[in-house]
Amino acid sequence: MSNYSQLKDLVLSLESDFEKFYDKQNSAAGTRVRKGMQELKNLAQTIRTEVQNAKNSAAGDAAGAAKAAPAKKAAAPAAAKKAAPAKKK
């Protein structure tokens, strides 16, 4: 849950810069908003990865006794092109 707390704190910390940029047209605040949004993006990616790993490990534990899905059949090779007969001289 620590990442969730970081996420909330980050969003709340950007509130004043959003107001300054959109209401007062302060361009320096816009730079801070962009920086904060990049941090938000990185944090979101970290959280997504953690959730996916937790989900996969839980699914792997539950499916440990289950049979693995059969492998996909190999696609049929493309029809070989017929070579034209060589011309005789």
Side-chain angles (χ1 to χ4, degrees):
M1 277 304 260
S2 111
N3 281 334
Y4 180 69
S5 298
Q6 286 179 342
L7 180 68
K8 287 192 321 186
D9 292 342
L10 180 58
V11 170
L12 292 175
S13 71
L14 292 173
E15 183 177 11
S16 66
D17 287 326
F18 270 101
E19 289 173 359
K20 288 176 185 174
F21 179 71
Y22 285 110
D23 296 338
K24 300 174 184 174
Q25 287 76 38
N26 182 330
S27 62
T31 301
R32 292 189 296 273
V33 167
R34 288 180 37 242
K35 181 181 177 197
M37 294 305 293
Q38 185 65 40
E39 291 175 18
L40 182 64
K41 176 186 166 190
N42 293 337
L43 183 57
Q45 184 62 45
T46 300
I47 293 170
R48 289 184 75 240
T49 303
E50 284 180 3
V51 169
Q52 187 67 38
N53 290 341
K55 187 178 108 177
N56 288 344
S57 68
D61 295 342
K67 239 182 181 179
K72 290 183 178 180
K73 292 182 180 179
K81 293 182 180 180
K82 269 190 168 177
K87 292 183 181 179
K88 292 184 180 180
K89 290 185 178 182

